[in-house]
Amino acid sequence: FSHVKEANEIGAIEILLVTDDYIHSLRENESYEPLDLLMIDVEKKGGRIHILDSRTVPGQRIDGIGGVCAILRFDV
Protein backbone atom coordinates (compact mmCIF):
# COMPACT_ATOMS: atom_id res chain seq x y z
CA PHE A 1 0.00 0.00 0.00
CA SER A 2 2.79 2.44 0.82
CA HIS A 3 4.37 2.12 -2.65
CA VAL A 4 1.03 2.75 -4.31
CA LYS A 5 0.44 5.75 -2.06
CA GLU A 6 3.86 7.17 -2.98
CA ALA A 7 3.14 6.73 -6.70
CA ASN A 8 -0.14 8.59 -6.23
CA GLU A 9 1.57 11.51 -4.49
CA ILE A 10 3.40 12.31 -7.75
CA GLY A 11 0.36 11.64 -9.94
CA ALA A 12 1.76 8.49 -11.53
CA ILE A 13 -1.30 6.24 -11.18
CA GLU A 14 -3.28 5.59 -14.35
CA ILE A 15 -5.30 2.66 -12.96
CA LEU A 16 -5.65 1.65 -9.32
CA LEU A 17 -6.40 -2.05 -8.89
CA VAL A 18 -8.01 -3.15 -5.62
CA THR A 19 -9.56 -6.51 -4.78
CA ASP A 20 -12.88 -6.92 -3.06
CA ASP A 21 -11.26 -9.16 -0.41
CA TYR A 22 -8.82 -6.35 0.44
CA ILE A 23 -11.69 -3.91 0.88
CA HIS A 24 -13.65 -6.36 3.03
CA SER A 25 -10.59 -7.06 5.21
CA LEU A 26 -10.14 -3.33 5.83
CA ARG A 27 -13.75 -2.94 6.86
CA GLU A 28 -13.48 -5.84 9.30
CA ASN A 29 -10.02 -5.32 10.77
CA GLU A 30 -8.76 -1.82 10.11
CA SER A 31 -9.86 1.59 9.01
CA TYR A 32 -11.16 1.91 5.47
CA GLU A 33 -10.34 5.63 5.45
CA PRO A 34 -6.75 5.49 4.04
CA LEU A 35 -7.90 3.47 1.02
CA ASP A 36 -10.96 5.67 0.57
CA LEU A 37 -8.80 8.81 0.57
CA LEU A 38 -6.37 7.20 -1.89
CA MET A 39 -9.18 6.28 -4.29
CA ILE A 40 -10.63 9.80 -4.14
CA ASP A 41 -7.23 11.34 -4.82
CA VAL A 42 -6.49 8.97 -7.72
CA GLU A 43 -9.77 10.01 -9.36
CA LYS A 44 -9.06 13.71 -8.76
CA LYS A 45 -5.76 13.26 -10.61
CA GLY A 46 -7.49 11.63 -13.58
CA GLY A 47 -6.82 8.01 -12.66
CA ARG A 48 -9.32 5.19 -12.83
CA ILE A 49 -10.19 2.59 -10.20
CA HIS A 50 -10.92 -1.05 -10.86
CA ILE A 51 -12.29 -3.30 -8.12
CA LEU A 52 -11.40 -6.91 -8.91
CA ASP A 53 -13.28 -10.00 -7.80
CA SER A 54 -10.90 -12.06 -5.66
CA ARG A 55 -12.39 -15.26 -7.05
CA THR A 56 -10.97 -14.55 -10.51
CA VAL A 57 -7.40 -15.28 -11.58
CA PRO A 58 -6.47 -11.57 -11.87
CA GLY A 59 -8.03 -10.90 -8.46
CA GLN A 60 -6.14 -13.80 -6.91
CA ARG A 61 -2.88 -12.48 -8.35
CA ILE A 62 -3.48 -9.01 -6.94
CA ASP A 63 -4.43 -10.52 -3.58
CA GLY A 64 -1.14 -12.42 -3.71
CA ILE A 65 0.79 -9.15 -3.73
CA GLY A 66 -1.25 -7.46 -1.03
CA GLY A 67 -4.64 -6.68 -2.58
CA VAL A 68 -3.79 -3.29 -4.05
CA CYS A 69 -1.51 -2.23 -6.91
CA ALA A 70 -1.40 0.28 -9.74
CA ILE A 71 -0.68 0.63 -13.41
CA LEU A 72 1.42 3.75 -13.77
CA ARG A 73 1.51 6.54 -16.33
CA PHE A 74 5.28 6.76 -16.06
CA ASP A 75 8.15 5.07 -14.23
CA VAL A 76 8.85 6.08 -10.67
Side-chain angles (χ1 to χ4, degrees):
F1 185 82
S2 63
H3 289 79
V4 173
K5 189 175 174 183
E6 288 173 17
N8 180 58
E9 288 173 2
I10 58 172
I13 296 179
E14 179 70 29
I15 302 171
L16 180 66
L17 302 168
V18 184
T19 64
D20 58 347
D21 277 356
Y22 182 76
I23 293 169
H24 292 300
S25 71
L26 289 178
R27 288 185 177 173
E28 293 174 6
N29 302 321
E30 301 173 26
S31 171
Y32 179 74
E33 186 176 1
L35 178 61
D36 190 40
L37 292 173
L38 175 66
M39 291 190 301
I40 290 168
D41 200 38
V42 166
E43 285 187 327
K44 283 181 183 177
K45 293 176 180 173
R48 294 175 289 158
I49 299 168
H50 291 248
I51 309 289
L52 302 173
D53 185 338
S54 293
R55 296 173 292 176
T56 64
V57 173
Q60 291 170 356
R61 288 186 178 168
I62 301 301
D63 272 336
I65 59 170
V68 62
C69 70
I71 297 172
L72 305 179
R73 293 183 175 114
F74 52 85
D75 290 336
V76 292

